Amino acid sequence: MNEESKPDTRRPLVADWQHLMRTFIRPEDEASREVLTKYMSQILFGLQDFLASHLGVTRERTLKELAGVHSDTRLSPLPEKKLDEIISDLIEEVAPHAVNVSSPYFIGHMTSAIPFFMVHLRTIVAALNQNVVKLETSKIFSVIEKQVLAKIHRMVFNRQEAFYRRYVQDPASALGAFTENGTLANFTALWAARNRLLPGIEAEGVHAAYRNKGVRRCVVLASRLGHYSLRKAAGLLGIGNQQLVPVEVDSRWRIDAGKLSRTVRDLARPGRETAVLAVVGIAGATETGTVDPLEALADICAEHGIHFHVDAAWGGPTLMSESYAGLLSGIERADSVTIDGHKQFYMPMTCGMVLFKDPNALDAVTYHAHYINRPGSVDLGIRSISGSREATSLILGCALKVMGTRGYALLIDHGIETARIFAEQIRRREDFELVSEPELNILTYRLCPGPLKRKLASCTFEEKKAVNEHLNRLNRDVQRLQREEGKSFVSRTTLCGPGTGNQEIVVLRAVLMNPMTGPGILEEILDEQERILHRIGGAAPEQEPPV
Ligand SMILES: *Cc1c(COP(=O)(O)O)cnc(C)c1O
């Protein structure tokens, strides 16, 4: 907002009871109704226009400048602006410095364009202001939440009709929970798993529980591509984040099931005094989009009686696609599954979900209070890490009705197929190298000038290291310069595994989820990267490292 405002000659704004009451009462006459409608269309279309034209990752105004304009910490006793001015400010002064994640040239993150009806649904949720922590503040919304969870449960676990009839509205159990995001969904899954493995831990703490169980430590096993929320969960749950044991990946960035199996066996040996709290399979790794071999993981977990969690925060909705659901086969054997609504369900920020195969799994984390959530009550808050909570399930439930699973499948299929086209474009270019093949709709690649590509194919490990360090700098620079030019955006990460010759390499990461991103735009993005590479001299032979 522009806080260096000009001297104001209008009537000063006042804070009085009459004005205040007006903001609480619904517009009583046509005129004020029209004003409100005008505001809403200003928001819907003013922002749409802006979003159609602007990418917003530019250097136009630096973070430092923006921070400077937003450093006044005094609270104003008097109203400063009227709502229409605030909205204009937001559209003209704030939105231009936000990031236009809905641009088809923005292919760097798991945040993208959303269907416009999501904004309407979100507005309705805000207008009704239900609090699903308890029935007394939500009533039908608690019922809808259970129904939506059952639908998603069905998508994942596909149990019998009789099972869903029995549990969909059963107040004594829960098929899962809505959470703020995937981080808290993963946390909830491991929380329930921990409390089942170590009875008494919630009340008595880790020390007593370990003693009772006769163990010295608990570990969680996941591939080295596991999301960092798993580390947070291990820390918060008191088992220690160093006990999230990373398992090697294969050349396709999937967990090495053989190594996992050996690790589990090794940890079970007498004298190790170690319990495995959970094995986590990833269905759509954040960095590479790859899917772990879920069937093999399910076998290992079944053999050893280990909780099997699948982190499908990204990939879960792939189950709606007839063509690609098979990529996740084995997910139905999980004990718990994380799915994010604000990713491939295209919901507005934020919505996480955790589903449990066993409707009583969440009993392990119930909490009660005297004024709400009393024992025996049906309040959703009993089995939730959150207290007060928005009814995001309504948005998902309605979105599923508007789209149908077929509609969602069109988006999923388009993303995967666009990623394959993009991979092909990258392969065809002399100065590019595909690093991870797209299994879902995420891929990684890097700029690698032809001569260096040929050198890498034949040199020693040490020589490769020097070349890779050079390329890492190059790719970091190109990614940064492209972002700063503000026309398009891909993200960047560092990978290391058999797929990179076990060397750390900086890669560019593309997430293809925007249905408006087509092959032409992708070629433009690569052209731009190529231009930047040539401009900074990265393609010239004299820039090659001395190897
Ligand atoms: C995004 C993501 C998460 C975390 O989800 P948030 O909603 O950002 O908290 C966890 N796991 C995977 C695989 C993800 O892609």
Side-chain angles (χ1 to χ4, degrees):
M1 234 167 294
N2 187 3
E3 295 184 5
E4 312 132 20
S5 35
K6 310 140 211 127
D8 205 336
T9 51
R10 292 162 309 174
R11 206 151 45 91
L13 296 173
V14 291
D16 63 22
W17 190 252
Q18 202 193 347
H19 280 87
L20 183 71
M21 288 316 285
R22 234 185 267 152
T23 66
F24 274 85
I25 299 167
R26 73 192 160 82
E28 64 273 34
D29 55 45
E30 261 325 297
S32 30
R33 233 174 261 196
E34 255 166 46
V35 173
L36 278 190
T37 313
K38 192 191 77 189
Y39 292 163
M40 283 313 285
S41 59
Q42 209 179 337
I43 292 169
L44 276 175
F45 302 115
L47 280 180
Q48 292 280 323
D49 291 346
F50 152 74
L51 288 175
S53 65
H54 194 96
L55 187 54
V57 282
T58 61
R59 266 201 305 200
E60 255 169 53
R61 269 185 113 179
T62 64
L63 263 188
K64 208 168 158 199
E65 285 168 356
L66 292 173
V69 181
H70 291 86
S71 293
D72 185 355
T73 56
R74 287 165 303 178
L75 289 167
S76 165
L78 288 179
E80 291 176 84
K81 291 187 174 178
K82 290 164 67 168
L83 183 60
D84 59 343
E85 296 172 84
I86 297 273
I87 292 173
S88 298
D89 277 359
L90 289 174
I91 293 174
E92 286 155 27
E93 309 282 338
V94 176
H97 305 292
V99 173
N100 180 8
V101 296
S102 63
S103 161
Y105 290 85
F106 185 91
I107 57 164
H109 285 302
M110 295 171 154
T111 307
S112 179
I114 54 174
F116 72 88
F117 66 75
M118 295 291 186
V119 180
H120 295 82
L121 294 175
R122 152 77 77 235
T123 307
I124 293 167
V125 169
L128 291 171
N129 196 32
Q130 302 292 292
N131 183 350
V132 285
V133 68
K134 54 185 182 284
L135 276 176
E136 289 168 1
T137 50
S138 62
K139 200 172 172 184
I140 192 173
F141 278 67
S142 290
V143 175
I144 291 173
E145 178 158 323
K146 284 184 91 76
Q147 182 189 20
V148 175
L149 277 170
K151 287 186 178 185
I152 304 300
H153 192 283
R154 198 166 185 145
M155 176 185 94
V156 173
F157 295 103
N158 197 23
R159 312 259 316 234
Q160 303 280 322
E161 172 65 21
F163 173 89
Y164 291 107
R165 233 178 283 139
R166 157 86 177 76
Y167 286 106
V168 57
Q169 295 297 346
D170 175 28
S173 63
L175 296 173
F178 275 85
T179 56
E180 261 75 24
N181 47 40
T183 297
L184 285 180
N186 279 340
F187 171 83
T188 303
L190 296 180
W191 185 25
R194 184 197 72 166
N195 288 7
R196 284 205 145 181
L197 179 72
L198 302 164
I201 190 169
E202 192 74 27
E204 297 166 46
V206 175
H207 190 68
Y210 280 16
R211 206 176 44 225
N212 292 342
K213 183 95 183 161
V215 298
R216 279 187 308 118
R217 66 167 186 155
C218 270
V219 298
V220 173
L221 301 169
S223 107
R224 58 191 294 161
L225 291 180
H227 190 266
Y228 73 114
S229 55
L230 299 173
R231 261 197 303 133
K232 287 188 194 169
L236 277 168
L237 290 169
I239 68 168
N241 62 28
Q242 289 176 3
Q243 310 304 338
L244 175 69
V245 177
V247 179
E248 289 300 314
V249 290
D250 62 18
S251 59
R252 293 165 59 198
W253 305 99
R254 305 163 0 140
I255 195 169
D256 184 331
K259 284 213 172 109
L260 174 71
S261 173
R262 284 193 292 282
T263 305
V264 168
R265 257 172 239 286
D266 178 54
L267 291 169
R269 285 206 327 263
R272 297 298 304 257
E273 298 178 311
T274 301
V276 179
L277 195 157
V279 164
V280 181
I282 314 169
T286 314
E287 288 165 290
T288 57
T290 43
V291 181
D292 285 337
L294 303 178
E295 296 281 6
L297 300 192
D299 288 342
I300 294 169
C301 290
E303 184 189 338
H304 296 272
I306 297 170
H307 184 103
F308 179 32
H309 176 64
V310 173
D311 183 355
W314 178 253
T318 311
L319 291 167
M320 290 181 290
S321 158
E322 279 178 31
S323 316
Y324 300 109
L327 293 173
L328 271 59
S329 85
I331 194 171
E332 71 286 353
R333 296 173 63 194
D335 294 297
S336 54
V337 172
T338 286
I339 300 181
D340 263 342
H342 55 261
K343 290 180 179 169
Q344 297 207 83
F345 276 114
Y346 291 80
M347 287 170 65
M349 292 288 144
T350 61
C351 170
M353 281 167 275
V354 58
L355 293 312
F356 290 88
K357 175 183 273 160
D358 173 2
N360 293 113
L362 275 170
D363 291 353
V365 297
T366 53
Y367 269 80
H368 302 286
H370 290 304
Y371 70 107
I372 52 166
N373 301 347
R374 289 170 284 259
S377 96
V378 295
D379 297 339
L380 297 181
I382 292 174
R383 301 179 186 83
S384 167
I385 175 71
S386 300
S388 295
R389 202 156 54 74
E390 177 187 65
T392 37
S393 61
L394 184 86
I395 302 177
L396 179 56
C398 294
L400 282 165
K401 286 180 189 165
V402 174
M403 302 277 289
T405 57
R406 289 248 172 95
Y408 272 118
L410 290 174
L411 290 172
I412 299 286
D413 293 355
H414 180 268
I416 293 177
E417 281 145 27
T418 306
R420 290 179 182 175
I421 291 169
F422 195 35
E424 213 27 64
Q425 294 175 350
I426 291 164
R427 270 199 216 92
R428 275 203 300 268
R429 290 188 184 229
E430 162 82 355
D431 292 341
F432 286 81
E433 178 184 54
L434 189 67
V435 178
S436 61
E437 292 272 349
E439 194 174 356
L440 299 180
N441 49 357
I442 298 175
L443 60 79
T444 65
Y445 64 103
R446 65 173 173 171
L447 287 137
C448 184
L452 291 183
K453 232 189 256 176
R454 289 184 283 280
K455 189 164 287 172
L456 278 169
S458 62
C459 65
T460 68
F461 188 84
E462 284 309 313
E463 288 168 337
K464 267 192 192 130
K465 233 167 136 178
V467 177
N468 279 331
E469 273 165 25
H470 168 77
L471 288 172
N472 288 352
R473 269 193 304 280
L474 220 58
N475 279 278
R476 252 184 237 119
D477 288 346
V478 171
Q479 192 267 349
R480 179 176 49 81
L481 290 167
Q482 185 173 39
R483 182 187 40 150
E484 287 174 358
E485 276 178 27
K487 188 168 172 309
S488 35
F489 175 78
V490 297
S491 60
R492 151 171 85 69
T493 188
T494 303
L495 291 176
C496 180
T500 64
N502 293 310
Q503 299 201 353
E504 287 209 340
I505 72 170
V506 170
V507 294
L508 306 176
R509 166 175 168 269
V511 181
L512 286 314
M513 72 180 295
N514 188 330
M516 264 88 76
T517 304
I521 287 178
L522 295 171
E523 294 281 13
E524 282 180 54
I525 293 174
L526 294 177
D527 285 344
E528 189 185 23
Q529 290 172 344
E530 216 163 72
R531 271 200 306 278
I532 297 173
L533 177 76
H534 288 264
R535 198 176 71 219
I536 63 176
E542 63 269 24
Q543 287 293 309
E544 287 178 36
V547 292

